[in-house]
Amino acid sequence: MVKERKVIIMGAGPGDPDLISVKGVKALQQADVVLYDALVAPELLQYAAPQCKRVFVGKRKGKKEFSQDEINQLIVFYAIRHTCVVRLKGGDPFVFGRGHEELAYVTRRGLTAEIIPGISSALAAPASVGIPLTKRGVNESFWVVTGTLSSGEIGHDLFLAAQSSATVVVLMGMSQLPEIAALISKERSPDEPMAIIQNATTLSEKSITACASTIVAEAALQEIGTPAVIVIGKVVAERLPQVTSFVSVHAVKPLTR
């Protein structure tokens, strides 16, 4: 019986390799080819069989190994030559991960696709430092927005989010941090609590908390860079300073096939 060819678009989680799902591990174990991003923990590739082809297609700010169109074409190229191709993406592929674009490209070409969600850094980063996205009596909702559009401009929804009382989680926003802080100071208050978590859930995680009027100076002082998640709102003040995140040191223990 000939096995059906399929593409699995899956999330690797926020950074700590132990935060991948069990289903994700099983997918890696059966993969013939894995196309992986820059933010994927390298340890996760150890789950793949020795004969599995590993293809780096990472994109980071200012540097691209492949364009998105080229990545789409590579997925199909390998999918018509192998039984199981895994597209491994950091975080969750459907949260600013362009996973749906890849899904549409694959399915339009008659290939079977499967989605395996991952833990988004939008959720994991605040939790890793003890910041609740929601708390009874403090807020009623949270927004997850992009800080930078493809044009390089500040995300339009940030202006709407700033006018609400919701917690705001900003992804890909560090290049716009001064503009974001100024917006929050204007629409909310210069004293609005803010936090930045860099390399969340990894051994190199760093975080700071400040207010809208001081966050830019504090980020520069502490040398906070990318990749990082910005959290805005009253819930930031609920962070307990004694809380530290647990990061796996010996993360990869392959499951039995």
Side-chain angles (χ1 to χ4, degrees):
M1 181 178 178
V2 178
K3 290 185 178 180
E4 182 182 27
R5 300 179 189 276
K6 66 178 177 180
V7 173
I8 301 175
I9 300 173
M10 60 177 282
D16 183 343
D18 265 6
L19 291 177
I20 194 171
S21 66
V22 173
K23 189 170 186 178
V25 170
K26 291 178 179 178
L28 287 172
Q29 290 175 337
Q30 65 176 308
D32 301 306
V33 181
V34 176
L35 296 97
Y36 64 99
D37 281 347
L39 295 180
V40 168
E43 296 94 326
L44 291 178
L45 299 177
Q46 296 177 33
Y47 285 121
Q51 68 272 19
C52 174
K53 185 176 182 65
R54 297 154 172 82
V55 182
F56 176 70
V57 292
K59 294 183 290 182
R60 296 292 293 271
K61 183 176 175 60
K63 182 178 181 181
K64 296 182 179 180
E65 193 76 12
F66 295 96
S67 69
Q68 186 61 52
D69 286 342
E70 289 171 328
I71 292 172
N72 293 344
Q73 294 166 18
L74 277 173
I75 295 171
V76 172
F77 173 84
Y78 287 113
I80 62 178
R81 290 165 174 80
H82 298 276
T83 302
C84 180
V85 173
V86 169
R87 174 68 175 104
L88 186 60
K89 305 171 75 69
D92 180 273
F94 277 23
V95 181
F96 298 116
R98 306 188 75 168
H100 191 268
E101 294 178 39
E102 296 173 356
L103 174 67
Y105 188 92
V106 165
T107 55
R108 281 199 301 265
R109 281 147 185 83
L111 294 165
T112 299
E114 178 183 347
I115 306 298
I116 299 179
I119 300 174
S120 172
S121 61
L123 304 178
S128 72
V129 296
I131 297 173
L133 287 184
T134 61
K135 184 174 181 179
R136 184 171 54 179
V138 178
N139 69 326
E140 300 175 7
S141 63
F142 64 89
W143 294 46
V144 179
V145 299
T146 179
T148 308
L149 301 177
S150 57
S151 63
E153 299 175 318
I154 191 171
H156 297 155
D157 281 354
L158 264 170
F159 292 92
L160 297 174
Q163 295 170 26
S164 75
S165 61
T167 301
V168 184
V169 181
V170 185
L171 305 183
M172 299 170 289
M174 286 301 291
S175 63
Q176 305 284 2
L177 182 61
E179 291 82 359
I180 293 170
L183 175 64
I184 297 301
S185 292
K186 175 184 176 183
E187 298 294 340
R188 294 193 178 184
S189 165
D191 297 323
E192 184 75 356
M194 294 182 63
I196 304 175
I197 306 101
Q198 178 185 349
N199 295 320
T201 78
T202 71
L203 292 172
S204 57
E205 178 181 281
K206 294 172 62 177
S207 65
I208 59 170
T209 57
C211 59
S213 61
T214 61
I215 191 72
V216 175
E218 187 66 20
L221 180 65
Q222 300 297 328
E223 299 183 333
I224 300 293
T226 59
V229 173
I230 303 168
V231 186
I232 304 163
K234 300 295 188 293
V235 293
V236 173
E238 301 296 317
R239 178 183 183 181
L240 301 176
Q242 65 269 31
V243 173
T244 56
S245 60
F246 172 78
V247 178
S248 305
V249 178
H250 303 291
V252 175
K253 296 180 181 179
L255 302 181
T256 302
R257 296 188 179 214

